[in-house]
Amino acid sequence: MQSHHAADSVRPTIALAMGDPGGISSELAAKLIAQDDIRAAARIVMFGDMRILEDGAKVAGVALDIDTVGTEDALPARTPRPVLVDLKNLDPSDVTPAVPTLAGGRFATENFRRALQYAAAGRAHGVAFTPFNKKAMRLAYPGYDDEIRFIADVLKLDCPAREFNVLDELWNARVTSHIALAEVAAAISKDAILRNLALADACMRAAGFARPRIAVAALNPHAGDGGNFGREEIDIIAPAVREAVERGYAALGPYPADTVFVRAKRGECDAVLTMYHDQGQIAMKLMGFDRGVTYVGGFPFPICTPAHGTAYDIGGRGIANLGATRQAMLLAIRIASQAPSSAAARPQGRAAS
């Protein structure tokens, strides 16, 4: 594969998994693959069911201009059109709108598994997916905590991985993620901060940042107010920032959580490392809910999805905003295009993994 600068001559291949069928995922998938600039920028291999995609296209009001293959078929070489690997894995009559179901969860998990395996086999440079519903995913895959757990299980990898929220050029990383708020303080340590800051730095460099400036958020109100509201800043967070700087990272802070994103909006940093999930999610989604991307970093290839959910309340109405899904695909393409040369440029294999 060529460098980012030669991306116009060699398009990266992105495996796209269709998400939960009960909401807006199928119409988003149909809208996305109809975008001329997306089709020009990447070779898209989609995993799902043609009947569900056709229903999504009808809702979205777009025409499908794609190639379709079965799981045992060879993919067409050098086609300018997206390719759907038709798994024939969900009858539209089995879709229950606006409800997380076992059938919907099985559909989404199989599509995601196939896309991940396709990339892991060296046939794609990255993976994107339209929104999942976590309850439906758990019905189909009882061990499903979140996407990271599922990806690690499918790829059989045990590596440091984290979700990042990306809004335009601003990134949000986390020290803790999907845990109860009552457990957050005990889970914060100097090592955890340094580990997640290093991962954020590496992922952002892969996305083209030469030396990302990462502002570290405090845990307590007013950054602990000199110890009046807690000592985590004094005992853990500030020492971690100092050590990160000594290691050569462009780390800043810790800053009070209620002002750190003000600094970010001013352009004083490229990323904010927050101590827990909602500390960053609230700010990021408030600033750009319809453009935000969730990037799963730490795996061998980029994995991206819109930061919003399945929007059961508006599914089937044709009003779903493509913004975040489009940005997710563009980020996957951007990171894949900057990756070093790999065997992933082999599009001629069979569709099945």
Side-chain angles (χ1 to χ4, degrees):
M1 183 181 169
Q2 303 300 310
S3 71
H4 178 59
H5 301 292
D8 55 347
S9 60
V10 179
R11 296 180 300 164
T13 298
I14 305 296
L16 175 62
M18 293 179 64
D20 189 89
I24 61 174
S25 284
S26 59
E27 62 190 272
L28 289 175
K31 281 184 180 179
L32 181 68
I33 60 173
Q35 299 260 298
D36 289 341
D37 62 337
I38 296 292
R39 294 161 68 103
R43 184 174 189 275
I44 300 171
V45 178
M46 183 185 303
F47 293 84
D49 190 296
M50 184 63 178
R51 296 164 295 178
I52 302 298
L53 184 61
E54 285 176 336
D55 284 352
K58 288 175 187 174
V59 170
V62 298
L64 290 177
D65 177 27
I66 62 174
D67 292 316
T68 307
V69 298
T71 55
E72 298 303 318
D73 298 333
L75 269 63
R78 301 187 181 281
T79 175
R81 291 182 293 274
V83 177
L84 171 70
V85 180
D86 189 1
L87 303 178
K88 304 183 190 304
N89 55 346
L90 184 62
D91 191 304
S93 64
D94 293 329
V95 176
T96 305
V99 177
T101 64
L102 174 60
R106 282 177 173 164
F107 174 73
T109 51
E110 182 178 7
N111 298 341
F112 195 27
R113 182 182 295 108
R114 295 282 191 138
L116 291 167
Q117 290 171 338
Y118 192 77
R123 294 178 180 165
H125 305 84
V127 171
F129 58 94
T130 52
F132 299 151
N133 177 278
K134 286 184 169 55
K135 182 177 180 181
M137 299 293 263
R138 277 192 289 273
L139 290 173
Y141 191 84
Y144 191 94
D145 295 328
D146 55 23
E147 284 76 15
I148 291 176
R149 165 73 182 276
F150 184 81
I151 296 164
D153 288 351
V154 170
L155 300 182
K156 297 179 172 56
L157 288 176
D158 181 13
C159 55
R162 269 282 187 245
E163 285 186 356
F164 298 87
N165 284 94
V166 182
L167 179 61
D168 303 327
E169 292 300 303
L170 176 62
W171 287 51
N172 172 217
R174 312 170 195 158
V175 176
T176 68
S177 189
H178 294 132
I179 66 172
L181 192 57
E183 300 170 8
V184 167
I188 292 172
S189 66
K190 184 178 173 184
D191 285 345
I193 293 169
L194 288 167
R195 190 166 57 247
N196 284 284
L197 193 147
L199 180 60
D201 181 88
C203 289
M204 294 181 72
R205 287 176 186 270
F209 290 86
R211 188 168 183 263
R213 301 164 298 159
I214 303 173
V216 179
L219 173 67
N220 298 299
H222 304 295
D225 190 33
N228 287 331
F229 309 141
R231 292 192 54 86
E232 283 84 2
E233 288 75 19
I234 296 169
D235 297 337
I236 300 171
I237 304 174
V241 173
R242 285 195 296 270
E243 184 163 333
V245 171
E246 290 169 3
R247 293 185 185 185
Y249 296 106
L252 310 163
Y255 298 123
D258 62 352
T259 59
V260 67
F261 281 95
V262 176
R263 293 174 180 271
K265 279 192 70 175
R266 288 178 187 151
E268 295 177 20
C269 61
D270 304 304
V272 177
L273 176 65
T274 50
M275 294 299 115
Y276 58 93
H277 184 278
D278 286 3
Q279 196 179 43
Q281 286 277 64
I282 292 170
M284 295 290 280
K285 290 188 176 182
L286 185 63
M287 288 190 291
F289 183 76
D290 59 357
R291 305 192 313 280
V293 174
T294 297
Y295 166 56
V296 185
F299 291 108
F301 43 81
I303 303 168
C304 300
T305 191
H308 61 68
T310 49
Y312 282 158
D313 57 325
I314 62 168
R317 295 169 57 188
I319 60 173
N321 190 316
L322 185 65
T325 302
R326 175 181 162 82
Q327 291 303 317
M329 176 60 78
L330 288 172
L331 181 61
I333 293 169
R334 171 179 164 184
I335 295 173
S337 297
Q338 300 199 54
S341 180
S342 75
R346 307 192 303 257
Q348 66 274 15
R350 293 187 180 276
S353 296

